Amino acid sequence: MNKINSLKEYKEEYRKSIDNPEAFWSKKAESFTWKKKWEKVLNWEFETPQVEWFIGGQLNITENCLDRHLDTKGEHIAIIWEPNDPNEDTVRITYKELHKRVCSFANVLKRNGGKKGDRICLYMPMTPELAIATLACARIGAIHSVVFAGFSARSLEDRINDATCNIIVTADGGYRGAKTIELKHIVDKALETCPSIEKSIVLKRTGGKVTMKSGRDVWLHEELEHVNDICPAETMESEDALFVLYTSGSTGKPKGVVHTCGGYMVYAEYSFRNVFQYKDGDVYWCTADIGWITGHTYIVYGPLLSGATTVMFEGVPTYPDSGRFWEICDKHQVNLFYTAPTAIRALQACGKEFVNPYKLTSLRVLGSVGEPINEEAWHWYNDEIGKGKCPIVDTWWQTETGGIMISPLAGITKLKPSYATLPLPGVQPCLVDSDGHEIEGNDVQGNLCIKFPWPSMIRTTYGDHERCKQVYFSTYPGKYFTGDGCRRDEDGYYRITGRVDDVINVSGHRFGTAEIEAAIDEHENVVETAVVGYPHDIKGQGIYAYAICHNVPTDMEAFVVEVNKTVVEIIGPIAKPDKIQIVMGLPKTRSGKIMRRILRKVAEGEVTNLGDTSTLLDPSVVADIIKGAGL
Ligand code: PRX
């Protein structure tokens, strides 16, 4: 079903998808269960923008993830859950059980006032209940907004309020390596200023002490005693929202990227099956958290739509030791493994002794996602983990694209380390110069845009369509702008070179520099900050903050601790700066704009080739900054 088997077939499929996208995607969509077939395949324009796929079609994505597999795969394992602590039991959930548990959870949501169109926030550890809650929302037609459980109360509060969620599902706590995170406390703090929340449904995971607010907070296990496991799937229009997921951009607060039911479903399944070359019976493991888009599309929806066995891991790669990933691969005989370059680099740095004890013979395909994979990490992954036998799919995509856009198809596309290679069928990338002119031909470099809609593309930014237009469709009119720089080599292969905007990618997590600056600025001794990314051996990019202070701190160590604390409170531990430099001034132009180019160079350790500094209001600050950096 919908599977490409050779390079020749890929080329044919690609050509068909360009010649007649509507016929192409219509055919792919036919393999799903629709409650009512669509009347028109596609409506689009990239100005407003307005994009609609499978118009008039009605469906429920959970019927496609669950119900339609019951006859043939009811006893097949849908989810293998591997706990943080290797001594705790693995949980295996069949499709039949998952169906029941999703229906029961859906009834709990209904019992607590959840209904079609509501926004429901999920702030949970990586337990099976997170996947179940996600699907339960979709079952009743509520829009899920999963917030990564490493975000702070402030970040959670912002996201809940932006989407005016009426229910939050959380847990007493969560385990991550040696740490226990007290999620319910964080939620309680956030909810002090979230008037839209009526109910908080709490999973008991750690057994830690929590306060339950009467009338608002309920225990999941108690609620489950009051419901049965039958819940008909709500009828959804193809273009009804399925979920909102917050992500950072160059400016302002994170925005809620909205994906819709029909197109997202078709593309999630198609891309999963083809990129990983999934075969019936394969065990597939994506190490991401469901709090990110990778988890949405390639832990939950893509694999379950395909009837696969998907592994969910609660913990971290280095607990109890740095062999954990490989131990899990052997334990569950994982065939398809998908992780991020930052994890690969971190594990590479720990040494081979953590890999050697494991056989890794079940592995057939390796994947990479989230940031450029450097050649050294690529080769280590290929040689030490894949033993030279597993194709590596370097998958380029974004929260906004919903699914993988540029990637090899495993075992089909000829690989080239650090290249995402070729677009998937239906994806029409182009490179543009700074004036927006399309750069034709090969062996060229430019800004990466997509010039034709694909089914799982962003539809809007929640509550603010104008922002969607401004951010993605205004820079280069008529095109979706990705924010990434890209090279197309002599073979027509694409290599993503990194962000060209003020977004930094730290360990595969996206942050706007403005967002981190705003957090640091909240420290009482800070007057102004400028944040840039710099190359970091493990994280890909590190966070370098230049700060002007009211009083130059006498104890720099204590100041760093305090700034970190502020950032952790406002965003979360993942946004802590790696380096902080106190400066007397920032390199500003006469119009007041910070020349980040200079700050980036200094952060990289470069003192020459700083470019033209003549437009600076006070060029002398540059020499001070270089001196302060110890260069
Ligand atoms: O810069 C690109 C980088 O991650 C950005 C998207 O981040 P996010 O929305 O958080 O989604 C990450 C997971 C899909 C992109 O704009 N990126 C993602 N994958 C790659 C990549 N950069 C290079 N190579 C990749 N394979």
Side-chain angles (χ1 to χ4, degrees), residues 249-252 500-504 511-518 520-521 528-534 543-546 586-589 592-604 606 609-610 612-613 615-616 622 625:
S250 303
T251 54
V500 292
D501 54 8
D502 288 327
V503 168
I504 49 183
F511 295 103
T513 49
E515 192 186 350
I516 305 175
E517 287 162 7
I520 300 176
D521 286 349
E528 194 181 0
T529 332
V531 163
V532 295
Y534 73 100
I543 300 172
Y544 197 120
Y546 297 88
L586 290 167
K588 287 192 180 168
T589 61
K593 207 169 170 298
I594 297 172
M595 245 194 220
R596 287 171 193 279
R597 172 170 58 77
I598 295 174
L599 297 176
R600 271 188 223 115
K601 291 260 177 181
V602 175
E604 284 165 18
E606 164 105 45
N609 299 325
L610 293 183
D612 182 13
T613 52
T615 54
L616 288 179
V622 177
I625 289 172

Side-chain angles (χ1 to χ4, degrees), residues 245-248 257 292-295 298 338 341 368-373 393-404 406-407 418-420 448 480 482-485 495-501 503-505 508-511 541:
L245 182 59
Y246 285 82
T247 191
S248 299
V257 171
W292 311 110
I293 190 69
T294 307
Y298 299 111
Y338 193 26
S368 170
V369 60
E371 45 174 325
I373 177 163
V393 289
D394 177 358
T395 63
W396 174 83
W397 59 297
Q398 310 178 295
T399 305
E400 295 85 347
T401 69
I404 297 168
I406 303 181
S407 169
S418 79
Y419 278 76
L448 179 62
Y480 166 83
T482 64
D484 280 321
R495 177 191 200 179
I496 312 302
T497 50
R499 301 288 304 196
V500 292
D501 54 8
V503 168
I504 49 183
N505 190 328
H509 304 316
R510 252 165 90 167
F511 295 103
Q541 280 191 297

